[in-house]
Amino acid sequence: MKRPWLLPLLALAAFGVSYAATRRWHAVADRPQPPPGMVWVAGGTFTMGTDSERAWPDERPSHRVRVDGFYIDATEVTNAEFKEFVAATRYVTTAEKAPALDEIMRQVPPGTPPPPREMLVPGSLVFRAPTGRVDLSDVSQWWRWTPGADWRHPEGPGSTIDGKDDHPVVHVSWDDAVAFTRWAGKRLPTEAEWECAARGGLDRTYYTWGDEPPTRSSPRANTWQGDFPSKNVAHDGFHTTAPVRSFPPNGFGLFDMAGNVWEWCVDYYDPEIYRRRAGRVVDDPTGPDRPVDPAAPRRVQRGGSFLCSDDYCLRYRPSARQGGAPDTGMSHVGFRCALSGPKR
């Protein structure tokens, strides 16, 4: 039996399938192709910060922020990548230079006595676990100025990064990170871009992966387990840095947006800036134009590190933030690069 109405119906259905497939292809084709090692983040509007009572004051209040699309490194910059940069440019990091006395004295309150001359040598701050419980308000109990500590010698003289090419580079100051990004043709992410990327498409969640806390069987990130700062039982398998990609990526395919090492952002740090943004949508913010304290400028650090403990700082959450002196590197501070998206 002939069905003359069937042929146009089939043709229409075929056109519909073809049209839907074409639309899907264009959606993929329109998505910018990331440079090697980077991930495209489409941007949009998200909730920055948090209203959680467990958060630090500088994380509150939450507020809506819109960012343009951008690229960001899938991982933290590694020792191998930084080694290539140094070989190409002969760059000398901040930690490899002797600090200038006049620079130090400009950053301390008037009347502060100068440091001993023997301290004015190349070096950096290294974490040293105390032997027992200490006053958690005194960070000098676990941070030591260590002559000879730098990105090649993360624990000081005698230590090495041999066999750690895939670990994040540490002991890099903000100035060092900016120098690398310029050589690579990239830049540091803004604080807003960093949090947008860290959330991986999840809005208002407590962690980069959701709201469920990490467990011994599913640590989720390289952080501190045990009594901080004296005993790290390392259920996650690492006492210090971990090779990048050691833990599952977030929803955007980004690794170590929680823990491992703190990451520099381009913004000046302002602990009060969220209060001034409350009640409105902020468009692609880049932080304050100048440091809050010109005598002691600080730049934003994000993501927490292998030293972040649930019973001390809990700063490996996507909303957590802190400020660091731009001329100071430490054994738990690194960075990753970003790149602006194509103009539309």
Side-chain angles (χ1 to χ4, degrees):
M1 179 179 179
K2 293 183 179 180
R3 298 177 182 177
W5 46 268
L6 186 58
L7 190 60
L9 193 62
L10 289 172
L12 185 61
F15 172 78
V17 170
S18 174
Y19 178 67
T22 300
R23 287 190 65 186
R24 285 196 298 272
W25 184 87
H26 278 301
V28 172
D30 288 344
R31 183 181 302 163
Q33 183 65 32
M38 302 191 86
V39 169
W40 169 249
V41 177
T45 303
F46 74 102
T47 303
M48 189 170 180
T50 182
D51 297 311
S52 170
E53 294 181 356
R54 298 183 67 192
W56 294 79
D58 64 353
E59 302 175 51
R60 301 192 294 260
S62 66
H63 53 288
R64 299 291 282 173
V65 167
R66 191 200 68 78
V67 295
D68 291 331
F70 60 97
Y71 304 100
I72 191 166
D73 286 350
T75 71
E76 295 149 340
V77 172
T78 63
N79 286 319
E81 292 168 322
F82 201 79
K83 194 184 302 182
E84 182 182 356
F85 158 63
V86 170
T89 63
R90 298 184 180 180
Y91 183 82
V92 178
T93 62
T94 303
E96 296 171 283
K97 304 172 186 175
L101 181 60
D102 58 339
E103 288 289 333
I104 293 174
M105 299 312 294
R106 272 202 296 268
Q107 298 182 41
V108 297
T112 302
R117 286 285 175 182
E118 61 268 22
M119 298 297 289
L120 299 179
V121 296
S124 190
L125 288 165
V126 175
F127 173 81
R128 302 290 188 202
T131 57
R133 292 186 178 275
V134 294
D135 179 2
L136 293 180
S137 66
D138 181 7
V139 298
S140 69
Q141 296 294 314
W142 57 88
W143 284 110
R144 296 284 187 275
W145 170 257
T146 305
D150 56 44
W151 72 275
R152 290 188 180 91
H153 310 97
E155 303 301 318
S159 65
T160 179
I161 56 171
D162 290 350
K164 294 184 175 182
D165 277 357
D166 57 352
H167 284 239
V169 65
V170 293
H171 292 294
V172 282
S173 67
W174 185 89
D175 300 319
D176 299 334
V178 168
F180 178 97
T181 63
R182 289 173 177 166
W183 171 78
K186 302 177 184 180
R187 59 174 174 81
L188 288 177
T190 67
E191 183 176 18
E193 287 174 338
W194 193 97
E195 185 167 335
C196 177
R199 291 190 173 279
L202 301 177
D203 204 36
R204 300 178 186 269
T205 56
Y206 198 64
Y207 302 102
T208 59
W209 55 81
D211 290 317
E212 308 80 18
T215 63
R216 180 171 181 170
S217 60
S218 180
R220 305 274 194 169
N222 180 17
T223 61
W224 184 284
Q225 297 96 45
D227 294 328
F228 184 85
S230 58
K231 184 179 181 181
N232 184 1
V233 295
H235 291 317
D236 58 19
F238 304 98
H239 282 94
T240 58
T241 58
V244 298
R245 301 177 186 265
S246 292
F247 297 86
N250 73 359
F252 289 155
L254 302 171
F255 295 85
D256 299 309
M257 298 302 284
N260 216 15
V261 295
W262 283 99
E263 300 179 14
W264 289 110
C265 293
V266 71
D267 312 47
Y268 281 115
Y269 173 73
D270 181 352
E272 303 294 330
I273 198 166
Y274 287 9
R275 291 177 174 81
R276 295 193 293 276
R277 294 177 182 172
R280 59 191 176 95
V281 177
V282 186
D283 192 49
D284 231 358
T286 56
D289 295 332
R290 57 184 63 87
V292 175
D293 181 358
R298 289 192 288 170
R299 297 281 184 170
V300 171
Q301 295 174 343
R302 284 301 201 114
S305 78
F306 62 86
L307 295 178
C308 278
S309 163
D310 286 2
D311 62 4
Y312 175 58
C313 74
L314 196 60
R315 278 195 166 113
Y316 60 90
R317 297 166 293 102
S319 60
R321 52 199 299 261
Q322 70 175 17
D327 61 353
T328 300
M330 303 175 78
S331 56
H332 70 334
V333 176
F335 68 104
R336 76 179 71 214
C337 304
L339 189 62
S340 299
K343 298 298 182 183
R344 295 292 185 177

